[in-house]
């Protein structure tokens, strides 16, 4: 919107016009006709750009932060946000979403707080940390997807002798831009320091198709604290086995995928963030598509690439990439290719701005 | 409604009144004022009565049927319906619900058909039968809850040398009374005679909190063919363990319970039938309550009793009882007491006729 | 279901079989295989039959009731129910619905009560009565549709020197069969004897597209007490004018129709009853269709006919007819033909038993 | 977020830390710990500020634009956006909403186009313009509220000899920031130049509580093109009359209010914008409240004031003011005080960020 290019239908320059524009400015007004093509483009023209952050770069920087930066009250978290190169240096992976690598050293604790922003964590490697969500300690292990919905107290502790890193996803940019966020400090000490194998939320809720009678009220966000890798892996494997046996199950040939859901509604885990896991067979590539909204992926395992806006990026374990709104993209698998995925699709769908265009395969 | 008792506000008998009533009858009319107290009672006064059917009676009669009655096209199923003593001999466990014991001899097959009526099966003992639902063979084993939603083709085969019995629940009375049922014969041969450990529906859907991307459309009934005992048992145990540890989870002290749900919505498995499983610790009794609608239970394991309308009935494994609308009831556990439960609660709730009254404990 | 005709797949008669059947009966059991073709027909085979009640018959019988039968506490209402000839004399127009002509003499009052059953009134002629619903007096005039949702107190008073008759529709058969009804007497005197032109419910709610901020909670039934003929007539006229001008609006050529709705949801006025008004241009006939569930019509104005199950019935003002489940039907207009319509479609749709078949026109 | 103030828990400055921060920057990373207090404040701290735009200023500037600026293809609309003084000069009344005065000279036409952005118009004075929405000409008159939901073609024509101005409201800032907008030019000529008193949408939909059978599918936005002042005024008057008579109806004493709704759902007219009309009796002031999200008002008639963040602003007819997120506000009426109101509440509610705090009155 900087330097709006004048275009058809513009008034001729004149002293009177300049005075009018000056009067607009001094009265806090701004005309549409000089800027409509920028403000209301033919299709989304995001400032955010496609970008890949390499795990091989991220992890060492997180390690150095572990040495130089304390974790504790005030800074709250040792989290390093991915700053989309198109967004002026802000720690925004897109206009709506935040994605960060968080690092917790051996025996460190991140104190409890809560906020309106919805948060999740995904663990690409490591173990030893428990996140305590509303007093319920949740083990974090490789492949697990863990949620901290808005306004739940939460803190983390690392009980091992080795550090651990994971990625965080939140709706911080959306909350900041639209002025919706509240924040509250919790107790300095973790409210529960035990380290059970399974959280109480899982023990109540993670029995397929079964709902506790003590939990019949639907909840805005999923009551499930952790979605374990063991289940995700098996679900994906079964889809591919079904395909091998000639039955439906995969979302496209050679492409298995699951969405993490709120069992009280069958819908997305949180009101602003969708999360999924995708597995491609070696050699498979997905149809090129464009979507309204932001899509973020992290490679969990395997080698492959992503084509974004016509440019191919090679990908390895841990690499994170963002596809801004309406940028064409497709995935390509060299080996079996496992990717964790999140997006702001619930925002787009609830406000009916969602739109997708899928390119015909030749 | 037979013999409506005249009451206050009635006209005086006269030849003119008798002529009027005769004219009503010959013109297919019937006045409200003579029958309102029967038609519109102060609270539900069901014709159905509380009743217990003993497994020790049911099972031998089913066995004899196995010897005397063929199963096959025409009769379709060797199912013996529970006929509520208040409902004139019809095979109605209540005005809305059907409950039957079905029996399949060694190596017998029940042919495929489909109908508007929603159906489920619950297995109190035995194994060896596969039900094939829309071409998907589903193993039936002790403790499993299996559904056949309206208009799904289904047949059964027993692959063992021993017979097997289970209970069926359907909305046949509701469908019959309200004239909503369609019925269609399927192929004479089962569409799939394989006997896999897990149905394809389970392989796609029974990963807690995970939804296949190939199944994002919500479905009227659950896409899950079988809810396995292993999961039900574990869910109930965890609730009781949580209670022991001082955390919420049970629905009342000593009373664990789960509802079987449609994972695409979090709601009931089928539009007309709710199904749950309850476990009471030894010595626990539930609060006396009244509910609008029909409640049916089958004892799965343990000893105890039910008080219905002030009368106590002792219960053992396999026994089935019905609580008609607005009859007060409570359960009493001698041993650990496991009960399968189903009801017409979705009908009552969707039409907003549901009402419950729970008696205060002294 | 009486005299279930034995059919294919039946066991051969034998003393053992007779003993088995006797044991079934004494143990309150009833086998499926002898009755499945009756209980679960290929398509709905209603006991209710198509029938027309002539206003020319109904009204004089209501008048005679006015002379012979008091209205007051006990009998509660001078309402004469239409008894479907197929339903054994019960005052059921169908298995789900009740329809009656109610008659209130000059200066008579029907006392207040409330019940779970949902009720409406439609006025084919006359005026002078106010129905008081939860303390809000609602004028009843020709062409008006008025609702009394379940559990609202209501009574009626006629303030004129002439009697007035109208039709009542309720879900009494459904409530009675399924044991869901509660009933409570209200004050003997009407709670508000004023006779305003418009009810308070209309003054709050009947401004198109506008919702009072004091009424933001959605309600199970419509908060609108009266839907006035003036609005219905204009809505239908506009649809036909739009058709004349070449624009969409009618539901079929020459066929205007509106549904009465709950403005808090856009859905049906009550959870069990749908109400509509239809207008056909002279000479128009509707496509022959079958629907699951009951359809009832009353002619409001004009001459025409209905074909039900292949038989044509001539119709005049005030005539009421019922189309039982799955009976083919179509309307035929001689003059402009105005019909009020109600059905149990919300029951069928909420329980997903709805099905419609429309015959192709040649 | 500029100049994030370092706070507790920050690392000590060192060459290594500076190198780390430089490495962050060159790798498109940005740490949370230096900026969390700005990004995630204790409560919303909007950059937008409370502001009042005076109609006495707006209208003359619009008039001058009418002389100097053509309206036509390219600039598309002679609309002058209100630029919140806290938002850097952008034509954003808030981070989510756009509000502009639009001016159309005698016999001018604004050409047709469509866009994803949802739009409405509200007319504080004047007449003579028809807006053509998807081919349906809609008269614009004083007090009318008119909608153009996302992706509907629309253009305007002024058929009189005098100019006309009105306000436009859209979700342009939200669409621009989040990259969701599409835009398409329509025909150069208006698709329908007739000037009917009522749009076809009104003729189909504006009959209270009645829904055309040709319109049974729910729509994302309201199918109603215009909400007429005559209905709004009457609805508000009736609420105050009911209050005078001792009945509920107003939202608070002396405060009548209606929400414009989508009759197919009872919900907001469009997925991102809520619109209401409020009327205060002379002397009434509203409780001070804070809301998450943006609230905009235009005075339609009367004199009064608004207190925002403790500062009182006097208000006259046509004045427009904005209340940013979480700023405390209350209205004060000197005369009868009529205000049109719109907000982004549907965004906040659908994403579950809505929160309101109402101050207790002493």
């Amino acid at each position: 919107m900087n330097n709006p290019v004048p275009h058809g239908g513009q008034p001729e320059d004149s002293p009177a016009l300049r005075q009018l524009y000056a009067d607009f400015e001094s009265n806090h007004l701004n005309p549409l006709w000089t800027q409509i093509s920028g403000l209301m483009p033919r299709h989304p023209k995001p400032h955010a750009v496609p970008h890949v952050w390499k795990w091989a770069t991220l992890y060492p920087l997180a390690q150095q932060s572990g040495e130089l930066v304390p974790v504790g009250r005030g800074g709250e978290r040792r989290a390093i946000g991915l700053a989309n190169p198109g967004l002026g240096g802000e720690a925004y992976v897109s206009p709506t979403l935040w994605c960060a690598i968080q690092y917790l050293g051996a025996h460190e604790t991140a104190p409890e707080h809560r906020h309106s922003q919805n948060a999740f964590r995904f663990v690409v490697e490591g173990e030893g940390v428990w996140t305590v969500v509303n007093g319920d300690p949740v083990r974090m292990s490789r492949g697990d997807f863990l949620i901290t919905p808005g306004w739940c107290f939460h803190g983390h502790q690392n009980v091992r002798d080795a550090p651990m890193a994971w990625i965080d996803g939140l709706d911080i940019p959306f909350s900041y831009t639209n002025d919706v966020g509240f924040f509250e400090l919790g107790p300095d000490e973790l409210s529960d320091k035990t380290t059970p194998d399974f959280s109480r939320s899982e023990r109540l809720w993670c029995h397929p198709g079964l709902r506790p009678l003590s939990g019949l009220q639907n909840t805005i966000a999923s009551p499930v604290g952790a979605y374990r890798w063991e289940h995700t892996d098996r679900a994906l494997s079964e889809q591919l086995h079904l395909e091998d046996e000639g039955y439906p199950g995969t979302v496209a040939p050679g492409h298995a995928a699951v969405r993490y859901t709120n069992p009280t509604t069958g819908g997305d885990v949180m009101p602003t963030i969708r999360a999924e896991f995708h597995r491609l067979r070696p050699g498979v590539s997905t149809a090129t598509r464009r979507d309204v909204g932001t899509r973020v992926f992290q490679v969990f395992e395997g080698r492959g690439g992503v084509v974004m806006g016509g440019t191919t990026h090679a990908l390895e374990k841990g690499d994170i990439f963002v596809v801004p709104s309406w940028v064409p993209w497709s995935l390509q698998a060299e080996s079996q290719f496992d990717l964790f995925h999140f997006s702001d699709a619930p925002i787009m769908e609830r406000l009916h701005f969602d739109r997708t265009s899928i390119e015909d395969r030749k």
Side-chain angles (χ1 to χ4, degrees), chain A:
Chain A
M1 229 164 30
N2 302 320
N3 304 320
V5 180
H7 46 82
Q10 296 305 309
E12 282 193 40
D13 191 15
S14 72
L17 186 73
R18 290 185 195 178
Q19 181 59 44
L20 179 67
Y21 284 6
D23 289 345
F24 283 167
E25 194 170 341
S26 60
N27 286 290
H28 302 295
L29 298 169
N30 191 343
L32 178 63
W33 56 83
T34 60
Q35 55 177 321
I36 184 169
S37 66
L39 267 183
M40 303 179 79
R42 299 300 168 97
H43 60 74
K45 295 191 173 164
H47 292 281
V49 296
H51 193 73
V52 180
W53 288 262
K54 302 296 290 179
W55 193 244
T57 305
L58 288 175
Y59 192 81
L61 288 170
Q63 275 182 310
Q64 291 172 40
S65 304
E67 288 157 24
L68 296 171
V69 180
V71 66
R73 190 58 83 207
E76 299 291 314
R77 298 292 184 262
R78 192 188 290 111
I80 309 163
L82 278 50
N84 191 294
L87 296 177
E90 301 290 358
Y92 295 176
V93 77
S94 83
T96 50
L97 294 175
W98 163 281
C99 182
I101 177 170
Q102 187 170 159
Y103 186 89
L104 206 56
H107 301 289
E108 282 188 334
T109 294
E112 295 202 3
H113 61 217
R114 67 176 174 178
H115 41 69
S116 309
Q117 291 85 354
N118 297 285
F120 74 80
R121 330 203 175 280
F122 179 74
V123 183
V124 73
E125 63 185 20
E127 58 186 329
V129 171
W130 268 253
T131 179
V132 183
V133 179
N134 277 351
D136 186 14
V138 189
R139 174 177 52 89
M140 296 175 65
S141 300
R142 170 165 160 78
D144 294 345
F145 169 70
L146 309 105
I147 66 167
T148 310
W151 216 236
C152 293
F153 276 114
H154 57 286
H156 321 303
Q157 68 166 335
N158 186 343
V159 301
R160 299 226 174 166
D161 297 332
M164 181 176 167
W166 62 87
I167 67 163
D168 286 341
L170 292 96
D171 47 23
I172 291 176
F174 185 91
S175 295
Y176 182 79
T177 303
N178 295 297
D179 299 314
V180 305
F182 293 79
F183 185 95
E184 193 174 306
L185 297 176
D188 284 340
E189 291 282 296
L190 282 195
S191 53
D192 190 330
K193 294 185 176 176
T194 62
T195 57
D197 282 349
F198 294 101
S199 63
R200 301 194 302 270
S201 75
E202 292 165 86
R203 292 165 64 194
L204 262 181
W205 283 98
C206 290
H207 311 282
L210 301 179
R211 187 168 179 167
L213 250 66
S214 54
L216 294 181
Q217 288 286 351
N218 287 359
T219 50
I220 291 168
S222 174
V224 176
Y227 296 76
R228 298 294 173 195
W229 172 243
E230 168 191 4
H231 299 133
T232 305
D233 184 39
R234 190 180 306 136
L236 297 165
S237 298
E238 290 284 14
Q239 288 184 16
L240 293 172
H241 289 323
L242 285 165
E243 185 178 84
D244 286 336
E245 297 165 26
Y247 292 112
T250 54
V251 66
H255 181 180
V258 290
R259 183 170 295 170
Y260 301 99
T261 59
N262 174 349
T264 75
T265 63
D268 284 301
V269 283
M270 296 186 293
T272 54
I273 299 178
R274 171 165 297 164
E276 298 177 348
F277 203 103
H278 291 251
R279 172 171 292 172
L280 302 181
R281 292 185 195 268
V284 166
S285 66
T286 64
T288 298
R289 57 185 287 162
R290 298 165 182 255
D291 307 278
V292 166
T294 304
R295 267 137 180 78
V296 184
F297 289 83
Q298 183 178 34
V299 177
F300 182 67
E301 196 66 70
R303 291 181 326 283
V306 61
V307 188
M308 295 188 283
T311 302
T312 303
H313 306 260
L315 297 169
E316 296 170 305
K317 178 175 167 179
D319 292 351
I320 302 171
F321 64 91
V322 60
V323 191
S325 191
W326 213 240
V327 170
W329 64 280
S330 76
L331 299 172
Q332 300 176 330
E334 287 177 48
S335 66
Q336 175 172 305
F337 202 29
D338 277 10
L339 300 105
F340 170 75
H341 168 54
F342 71 103
S343 75
D344 55 10
I347 298 177
M348 301 308 154
E349 294 180 5
R350 286 167 189 229
L351 304 180
H352 294 282
F353 287 125
D354 57 303
R355 202 193 272 210
T356 290
S357 162
I358 301 181
E359 201 171 272
D360 273 343
R361 305 273 202 151
K362 274 119 303 203

